[in-house]
Amino acid sequence: MSTTFRGTAVPLAVTWLVWGTTYLAIAFGLRGTEPLTLSSVRFLTAGLLLWGLAERRHESRLTTPRRRRAALVGVLLFSVGMGGVALAEEYVDSGTTALFIATVPLWSVLLNTAWGRRTRGAEWAGVWLGLAGVAVLSAGLGRGGLTGAAILLPAAICWVLGSHLDDHSAGVRGPAAQMLAGGAALAVAAAVRGEFASPPRPTWGAGLALTYLVVFGSLLAMAAYRHLTAHTSPALATSYAFVAPVIAVVSGALFLDEPLTAHVLAGTALIAVALSTTLLSGSRPAAGPTTTAPGHPEAVRMRRGPASSR
């Protein structure tokens, strides 16, 4: 195991496990409130907590260009990306939602290639094997609703674009501003959608789900993800997208009675091969142009390309 991988093993485990169960948490959270409202509260709360931490650490204020970039990245990542995931779960189950989001590594590699980064053949093989596994899983779960699919595809693409645009150099205050911007945009969207007209349906399960989404999904996992995007290749940083569907499908079957069939075993086998291929080829950054990084946390440098919550 390389030095780089030793330094990323824990962040990898966090992103795989936490984001694999985020879909389940969203499903429970939707039992207490509407999807855009749930997402808005999630990111506004997490953003305020991070902003308070930035104040405590006496971090410098964001410049005007960085505030604008943070607002754009926040809308792409948290409003369209993660807000879209919550909205889609009104139409498709949590496992199917995770399968659509598994297209993230494909868009990531394509965008990196467009930016001139040299992409290894093994990375391409891992991406396609992973997507083949997702296709097998999808066949076992049945086709998701067209409305859900229409929401999830742009959500995945916007996640990659937001990751690419993240200037990655504003300490804790940068991600805090992104979450606050994304949460504010979600609040506006929720109002336009008429969600505030529906009274909340508070339950213990929904409250615990929201707490989990804030603490683990929006703080711990995002910090781990930002570390990965700073120190590994895009294929490795987004490898959670191969593991999360498996965890989401299994957890959905256990806790939500979502279907678990023989297709899951075949899909899991393909995804395991894809992961090993991707990890072996992507445990160190590929050669290519470098610049201030896209992705997620503090001041780091990385190749030009996306690598950036679920």
Side-chain angles (χ1 to χ4, degrees):
M1 184 182 293
S2 69
T3 301
T4 300
F5 185 74
R6 283 200 300 271
T8 60
V10 172
L12 274 174
V14 169
T15 57
W16 291 352
L17 293 173
V18 173
W19 278 338
T21 52
T22 290
Y23 302 95
L24 178 67
I26 290 173
F28 277 108
L30 292 178
R31 296 180 178 181
T33 189
E34 299 295 325
L36 300 184
T37 303
L38 173 70
S39 300
S40 176
V41 173
R42 171 187 177 183
F43 294 119
L44 286 175
T45 302
L48 287 172
L49 290 172
L50 284 179
W51 194 270
L53 177 60
E55 290 291 324
R56 184 170 182 176
R57 290 167 53 169
H58 304 292
E59 287 191 1
S60 59
R61 299 286 178 175
L62 297 178
T63 62
T64 298
R66 281 186 172 168
R67 284 200 302 270
R68 291 173 179 168
R69 181 175 288 239
L72 175 59
V73 170
V75 169
L76 289 170
L77 288 180
F78 303 115
S79 302
V80 183
M82 291 190 174
V85 166
L87 183 59
E89 286 200 37
E90 282 201 329
Y91 304 96
V92 295
D93 62 38
S94 62
T96 303
T97 300
L99 300 178
F100 276 98
I101 298 302
T103 60
V104 162
L106 174 59
W107 302 114
S108 178
V109 169
L110 290 175
L111 187 56
N112 271 281
T113 303
W115 276 105
R117 177 184 174 271
R118 212 173 305 155
T119 302
R120 297 184 180 92
E123 286 182 294
W124 282 111
V127 166
W128 287 110
L129 280 171
L131 292 175
V134 165
V136 172
L137 285 172
S138 297
L141 290 172
R143 297 183 63 184
L146 291 178
T147 301
I151 295 169
L152 287 168
L153 184 57
I157 295 172
C158 285
W159 177 260
V160 174
L161 289 174
S163 302
H164 175 78
L165 292 172
D166 188 352
D167 70 6
H168 216 279
S169 59
V172 173
R173 202 179 294 278
Q178 292 170 6
M179 290 186 185
L180 289 172
L186 282 164
V188 173
V192 171
R193 191 169 181 255
E195 291 189 0
F196 295 159
S198 303
R201 308 172 297 279
T203 65
W204 280 107
L208 289 173
L210 177 59
T211 301
Y212 181 84
L213 290 170
V214 170
V215 176
F216 290 90
S218 298
L219 297 178
L220 179 63
M222 289 301 289
Y225 188 42
R226 289 178 65 90
H227 175 84
L228 290 174
T229 63
H231 298 98
T232 66
S233 71
L236 182 60
T238 56
S239 63
Y240 70 87
F242 295 147
V243 184
V246 178
I247 296 176
V249 168
V250 172
S251 59
L254 290 175
F255 298 102
L256 298 173
D257 294 323
E258 294 176 358
L260 181 61
T261 69
H263 288 82
V264 173
L265 299 178
T268 300
L270 281 170
I271 288 170
V273 175
L275 264 178
S276 61
T277 303
T278 303
L279 291 174
L280 288 174
S281 67
S283 58
R284 57 189 173 81
T290 58
T291 186
T292 307
H296 256 87
E298 313 193 358
V300 284
R301 291 176 299 279
M302 169 183 175
R303 60 241 159 247
R304 182 124 187 195
S308 170
S309 151
R310 204 198 83 331

